[in-house]
Structures are given as C-alpha cells and as structure tokens.
Amino acid sequence: MGKVWLLVFGIFLLNSGFILCDDDPADAEEDELDLNEIAEENDVLILTDANFQNAIADNEIILVEFYAPWCGHCKSLAPEFEKAAGILKENDPKVTLAKVDATVEKDLASEYGVSGFPTLIFFKNGAKTAYDGPRSSDGIVSYMKERADPSWKPPPDLVLHLTKANFSEFVDTAELILVEFYAPWCGHCKQLAPVLEKAAQGLQAFDPVIPIYKVDCPKESDLAREYEIKSYPTLKVFRRGKVFDYTGTERTAHAIVSYMENERRPPSTEVTSLSAVKKFMKTDDVTVFAFFKANDAAFETYENAANELRSDYDLGHTFDREAMTFYKVNAPSIAVFTAENFHTKHEQKYHVMPITKDSSVEEIRAFIAEHSIPLVGEYKTSNRATRYRGKYPLLIMFYSVDWSHDGITATQLWRRKLADIAKDHRDMTFAIANEDDHAELLKGFGFEDSGEEINIGILNELANKMPQEESKFPMPTFDSFDSDEIREFISNYKAGKISRKYKSQPVPKKSKAAVKTVVGSTFEKIVGDKSKDVVIEFMFSGCSKCKEFAPKYTALAKQYAKLQKNLVFAKIDNTLNEFPEAFLVDSFPSFYMVPANGDLSSPAKFSKEEELTPEIS
C-alpha cells in the first residue's frame, strides 16, 4: 500500500506541470495551430479564447458580440448583425464583426465584464470601448462608420483614478461621491467597470454632479489599509471626507444611480406636528423616529447615524413637544416602533434609547438593529440582507402571505400562531415569508414540490461562505398547522437531530470515469464512504486553472486506479452544490482527502507545503 505523501507528491508534480505524457509534441503544436484558426459564419468571425487576441491585433476596427445561444435578444440581433457585417467589411477603413459564445468562453466573457446578453464591445487599434449604439443593421453600420473615421476618438472615461497624493483633495471637499476600491486582476471588478462607467454617465444629470472614482488597491495599498478593504470590488460613499458603506445589493447602472440619488436626500425626514408623526408611523414596517429639543447637540450624532442607516430604514425626527408628550419620550431619544401589522401581545410596541452628543454611531446602529424586527416579522428579498442579516438561527414559515383586505385575516391567523411559539424561543429569530416571492429559497429547502399550504425551515450561518451563505434545515411536511409538531421540530434542531439539506445538481448517471462526479446530495455517501480513501477536487466550470488541471487530475486517477482499488478520485462543482462546511474552499482548484474510516468533520487539505505520512489503508 502507498502512503499519502506519495499521493501528495503526485499532486505536487501535477500542479508544477511535471507529468509524464505519451502525446507527441508535434501533435500538440498542430492542435494549437488549429485552435488559433478563425472560423467565419455569414461574414461574422467566430472567436474563442485561443484566437481572440489575434483577432483584435489583426483587425484595426472590430466589433465583438458576446452572446448566449438561448438568449432571445441575441437571436433577434443575429440577422441584423450579419447583414451589417456584410456591408462593413467593404467599408474603407474595413470594419470587422465577430461573435463569442459567452456560455462556452466563460473566462473570456468574465475578462471583458460581460454580465448580460448580448454585450457588444468594439476595439479600435486594440483599445476597447463599450458599444451603446442601435441594434438594427442600418444603425450598426452608421454607428461603426462614424467610429471608423480616423478623426474619431473615444470619449474620456468618467470614472477617474484616485491616488494617495490626490485622495484628500477630491474626497474631503466633495458633498457626495462614490469610490470603488478594486484590483486590476479581479474578475468581478472587470465586470463592474462598464457598469460604473454607465452609472457615472447617469449621475451627470444631477446638479451638482455626483462623481464616481476608483482606487487601484494593489498600487495604493496605504489607502486600502486605511479604509480596511478586505475584498474586491468594495464601494464606499463619501460625504466631505466622512466614509459610509455602500449597502446596495444590486450592481446595475440603474440601481447604482437610484442608490446615489437617494443618498442626495436628507437622511431623516423632519416631521413638525403630532398628527404628522402619527401618519409617518408605518403599518407594514418598522419605524425609526428620533425626538429632539431645539438646537440639541445630539442631533448631529443622530444625523451621522442616519446617513449610515438611510438605505435600510425610512427615518424621521421631530422637535415637537406635543409628540414627545404623547409617546412619553424624553428628548433627545431614538425610538423604534413595531409596525401595527406585526405587533403582538408578547412584545413592546416600541423601544426607546436616550442619546447624547457623545453617543456613538455604533451604539445607535446596534440599538436599532436589535429592535428592527418584531417577534414574527416578514422575511423579504428587500430586507434579507439588511434586517435579517446575522439573525440566526432563523425559522421561516412559508405560505401565501397576503396583506390585502381579503387576505389579511388568514395571514395574521398563521403569523400569530407562530408568535405563540416564538415567545418561548427568544434565542432564535422567527419570520413569515410569501412563498411566491422565494422560489429559489423554497427549492433550497426542497419544498418546491411539497404541495402543502405551509412549509417551515430553519436557516443558519456557515463559517465557510464560499459559495454557501446559509445552511438549511427543512421541517418534514405536514398537512395542517400543529404547534406541538413545530415545537418538537425546534427542539430536535437545537439538539442537532435535524439533517441539513444540501443544494445539489441532479445525480449524474453511473459512469466508469476515472474521476467520479459528486453532487451535494451524494457528497456524504461518496466522500464519507468508510471503506474508501477519497480525494476530492473542488472546482467550477468557469475556472481556467481547473480546466487546465482536469486532464492531469484524470491521468493521476487512472494511474492510482491500477495500484489501489479502494482509492477514489472525485470532483464537485463548488458553485452548484453545497457540502459540509469543514471543507473550506478559498481557491480553485482545491483538494481534500478523507481516509477510510475518516470523518467528514476533519478532512485533510492538500497543499504543496504539507507533508502527510499516515498509511492509506
């Protein structure tokens, strides 16, 4: 029997590129030449990762379409694009049209920031510019002829660089700006770049203009450290030098413009009378409201906090004494009011925090966050990343939530029944959710085909969040609401008796492939097989290093198949499946080993530096 170190050495050799190969180098050279050839279809070049750069270098002016075969807009564009290609190839100077299947050439699409289909980019002397012209053949021809003119120059970038030398000059005096902290090699940053440029164009319409800047973090490491940048890209909002987190969840140009437009408004609405305060109180969401005396020194502290919280809540404040008397609140204070629709007899109607000019933004934020969700609130796509972030374990009851006049009675009936249970489990968070708004989450729990009126599941946080965000624990389906069954489910969950549901691709057909494909639902069975030593690769389809390594990994698996029958080589797509969180994946490809009679809670991770010596049984 071999030793684990031998296997590690084999993987080390593969990662280093040293592996015996029977292929004739001449054949490889011939294959490479074939890959670099550029095919043509209806006057449109067909580009791949292998020939893309050659095509850009060989064509002074080239318009490239990144498309997906299933995309309806791409199908509509195809005949217009081909017609334009036939006309433009006769233009002087010649304009070449080309296309890339982005579902196949994923790395190429990622490199050029393709996030939707079709995406068109034109290159002039190698310099790329986003295409924002018409999608008809005549429009494409006219647009590209104008840009082919030798006198045409691309418009200047609106998103400009900041450095350590000029950062304070621009940031400290600006009323409102958005800054992207990025790395040139980051794929997500490349995808965001054209989005930010388009958003910057939209923000030109405001008076005053809201600028967008960017910081190259590897070059400007001092700025990255100062602002505690831990991932790329990171967006920050600045107001006269004060920094605030960008909390928008969508990364589209429209969403960024809308977010920054909201940032222009006062962070808190002043309400001037008791009747107006009553109207401001929400019936369907939490209300955060502050009370002050005239010229109160604590008001500036509140405003600073409000600027950070403005995206999560509608905030209001008043200097009206009658309102303070009515709500029995002393100024200066902040109160968090439970929405009328969500208040129950088991909780206070509102919570009050006295503040002073020395109160910190963190204290105010923590107070509001603690009381921003009721005993049983509503989990929505709009609040899951804000109100319910970190509120684990989170039990969600899915059903048809309807707040209309006809539906509110049934909605409240189920919610109040759940509240009677929630009051006894204050160490958990409880919420209802409209099943029609959470198809993906229902699927994650395995409820998509349950057919039941009510489904219940628990979400919990994971230490390993790449790509998994939350673990899911479904309650077995039941015919009708039964408080005792739900209480038992909660008790079993707390005792660790409820099995986790793993996101999974369909189970693949049986195969004699040297490398076994594992999915979420088969992970424990295959990788946790007590009779086998299992090496598993964590990869994803768009990973270029994974593709490069695949034939080498298969070769190693075939070599060991002849030597050790109880040694299994496997792989799993990290982006489409979930697995036990002990398998921490922080780069691709990553490799783990679980020996026979081993434990899935303590797998061994392979690295070039690691030396493992236990016997393979």
Side-chain angles (χ1 to χ4, degrees):
M1 292 296 173
K3 292 179 179 291
V4 173
W5 66 263
L6 181 60
L7 177 61
V8 175
F9 183 66
I11 291 180
F12 173 82
L13 289 179
L14 287 174
N15 277 329
S16 304
F18 299 106
I19 184 167
L20 294 176
C21 179
D22 294 328
D23 293 341
D24 186 336
D27 293 340
E29 185 177 342
E30 185 179 332
D31 291 342
E32 186 175 345
L33 290 173
D34 290 341
L35 286 171
N36 289 333
E37 290 182 1
I38 300 178
E40 185 176 308
E41 182 178 69
N42 297 327
D43 297 318
V44 178
L45 300 186
I46 301 173
L47 302 186
T48 65
D49 187 53
N51 61 29
F52 190 88
Q53 295 305 328
N54 285 347
I56 301 303
D58 293 343
N59 292 275
E60 180 184 351
I61 305 162
I62 181 170
L63 174 63
V64 182
E65 176 203 6
F66 290 85
Y67 74 97
W70 46 260
C71 164
H73 292 299
C74 302
K75 292 176 182 176
S76 299
L77 176 62
E80 300 295 317
F81 200 69
E82 291 169 359
K83 185 177 178 182
I87 298 171
L88 287 168
K89 73 176 184 179
E90 304 299 335
N91 189 64
D92 184 18
K94 177 185 175 182
V95 177
T96 303
L97 269 60
K99 62 182 179 181
V100 175
D101 184 342
T103 65
V104 175
E105 306 298 337
K106 294 181 181 179
D107 292 343
L108 198 57
S110 176
E111 181 179 349
Y112 286 95
V114 176
S115 56
F117 304 116
T119 292
L120 282 77
I121 302 172
F122 73 87
F123 298 80
K124 188 171 184 179
N125 297 319
K128 72 182 181 73
T129 304
Y131 178 94
D132 58 358
R135 299 296 173 96
S136 65
S137 58
D138 291 343
I140 294 170
V141 169
S142 175
Y143 183 96
M144 291 307 299
K145 279 186 174 181
E146 179 184 343
R147 279 147 185 79
D149 189 296
S151 64
W152 183 88
K153 296 187 184 304
D157 290 341
L158 293 175
V159 181
L160 303 178
H161 275 95
L162 293 180
T163 65
K164 180 72 173 176
N166 65 10
F167 192 86
S168 294
E169 175 188 347
F170 284 92
V171 171
D172 291 351
T173 58
E175 290 292 336
L176 178 66
I177 63 173
L178 179 65
V179 178
E180 178 203 18
F181 293 83
Y182 79 101
W185 48 258
C186 163
H188 292 298
C189 302
K190 291 176 182 178
Q191 289 183 337
L192 187 60
V195 174
L196 286 178
E197 192 66 31
K198 189 173 181 180
Q201 292 174 7
L203 292 171
Q204 294 287 305
F206 295 121
D207 186 16
V209 170
I210 303 173
I212 300 179
Y213 295 102
K214 57 186 175 182
V215 174
D216 183 336
C217 291
K219 280 187 179 180
E220 306 297 334
S221 55
D222 289 344
L223 287 175
R225 277 193 295 272
E226 181 179 349
Y227 291 100
E228 300 180 345
I229 305 303
K230 294 181 172 61
S231 62
Y232 306 125
T234 292
L235 299 177
K236 299 277 188 182
V237 175
F238 288 84
R239 289 189 181 82
R240 290 193 169 274
K242 290 183 179 179
V243 60
F244 303 91
D245 288 337
Y246 179 96
T247 59
T249 54
E250 284 189 63
R251 295 293 176 94
T252 64
H254 175 75
I256 291 170
V257 170
S258 297
Y259 184 95
M260 295 306 294
E261 182 180 14
N262 183 59
E263 293 291 302
R264 296 173 69 232
R265 302 188 181 107
S268 179
T269 302
E270 182 178 352
V271 183
T272 57
S273 67
L274 173 60
S275 60
V277 172
K278 289 180 178 179
K279 287 181 180 178
F280 191 86
M281 296 295 168
K282 296 187 175 298
T283 60
D284 60 350
D285 197 5
V286 66
T287 300
V288 180
F289 207 85
F291 300 84
F292 298 97
K293 296 176 182 177
N295 302 315
D296 204 315
F299 183 71
E300 183 179 353
T301 302
Y302 167 71
E303 271 201 318
N304 288 336
N307 269 320
E308 291 200 5
L309 297 165
R310 64 196 296 157
S311 299
D312 299 342
Y313 310 94
D314 287 330
L315 302 127
H317 64 274
T318 189
F319 298 93
D320 184 73
R321 290 184 177 275
E322 186 182 6
M324 298 177 209
T325 301
F326 180 82
Y327 289 108
K328 300 178 182 178
V329 175
N330 295 320
S333 294
I334 294 176
V336 180
F337 292 81
T338 300
E340 180 182 329
N341 282 351
F342 290 101
H343 179 254
T344 67
K345 62 184 179 181
H346 306 301
E347 59 200 306
Q348 294 177 223
K349 287 189 175 180
Y350 57 93
H351 300 264
V352 180
M353 174 187 175
I355 59 172
T356 69
K357 64 181 180 63
D358 297 321
S359 296
S360 69
V361 171
E362 289 72 23
E363 288 172 337
I364 294 172
R365 179 197 288 274
F367 169 75
I368 294 174
E370 181 182 358
H371 301 293
S372 64
I373 53 176
L375 182 61
V376 179
E378 184 175 3
Y379 181 87
K380 302 178 181 179
T381 55
S382 59
N383 65 20
R384 63 187 178 191
T386 53
R387 310 287 176 84
Y388 287 95
R389 181 173 55 195
K391 302 288 188 179
Y392 301 111
L394 169 60
L395 183 146
I396 304 176
M397 184 164 76
F398 299 92
Y399 62 101
S400 181
V401 175
D402 181 3
W403 296 106
S404 71
H405 176 74
D406 294 333
I408 190 170
T409 300
T411 293
Q412 289 287 40
L413 173 68
W414 300 121
R415 194 188 71 84
R416 287 172 181 149
K417 284 187 175 185
L418 186 59
D420 287 338
I421 298 171
K423 75 181 192 306
D424 299 324
H425 296 277
R426 302 282 179 163
D427 57 339
M428 295 179 62
T429 304
F430 290 76
I432 59 173
N434 184 24
E435 59 187 5
D436 292 338
D437 298 334
H438 299 278
E440 281 302 310
L441 185 55
L442 282 168
K443 186 177 180 181
F445 277 112
F447 293 148
E448 68 271 29
D449 297 318
S450 80
E452 299 298 338
E453 186 177 10
I454 294 173
N455 291 287
I456 292 176
I458 294 175
L459 292 175
N460 208 345
E461 190 172 28
L462 285 172
N464 169 16
K465 293 188 177 182
M466 189 175 181
Q468 308 167 78
E469 291 295 334
E470 298 162 315
S471 53
K472 302 173 183 68
F473 300 86
M475 179 178 173
T477 55
F478 51 93
D479 294 333
S480 59
F481 190 99
D482 187 315
S483 295
D484 291 337
E485 285 188 24
I486 297 172
R487 290 179 188 276
E488 182 181 5
F489 169 67
I490 294 171
S491 297
N492 286 337
Y493 168 77
K494 290 182 176 181
K497 297 178 181 178
I498 301 297
S499 297
R500 177 183 163 190
K501 176 74 173 180
Y502 291 102
K503 173 184 174 183
S504 179
Q505 291 176 281
V507 177
K509 295 180 180 179
K510 288 185 178 181
S511 169
K512 293 182 179 180
V515 177
K516 187 181 290 289
T517 298
V518 175
V519 296
S521 60
T522 63
F523 192 96
E524 291 187 352
K525 179 181 178 182
I526 296 174
V527 183
D529 188 339
K530 298 292 185 183
S531 67
K532 304 286 186 182
D533 298 306
V534 181
V535 177
I536 183 162
E537 175 196 15
F538 294 84
M539 43 71 71
F540 70 97
S541 58
C543 165
S544 57
K545 289 184 178 179
C546 303
K547 290 178 183 177
E548 180 184 344
F549 190 76
K552 302 175 182 179
Y553 188 53
T554 300
L556 184 66
K558 288 179 178 178
Q559 290 173 17
Y560 272 88
K562 300 172 184 177
L563 299 174
Q564 294 176 245
K565 299 298 183 183
N566 72 323
L567 179 58
V568 175
F569 284 80
K571 64 179 180 180
I572 186 169
D573 189 319
N574 195 79
T575 61
L576 300 175
N577 299 279
E578 293 178 346
F579 39 83
E581 59 183 307
F583 294 81
L584 179 61
V585 179
D586 51 13
S587 62
F588 299 101
S590 285
F591 298 88
Y592 277 89
M593 181 174 185
V594 179
N597 297 312
D599 192 337
L600 289 176
S601 64
S602 55
K605 187 174 184 179
F606 289 120
S607 69
K608 293 180 183 179
E609 297 77 21
E610 199 169 25
E611 291 185 13
L612 302 175
T613 57
E615 291 281 346
I616 296 178
S617 59

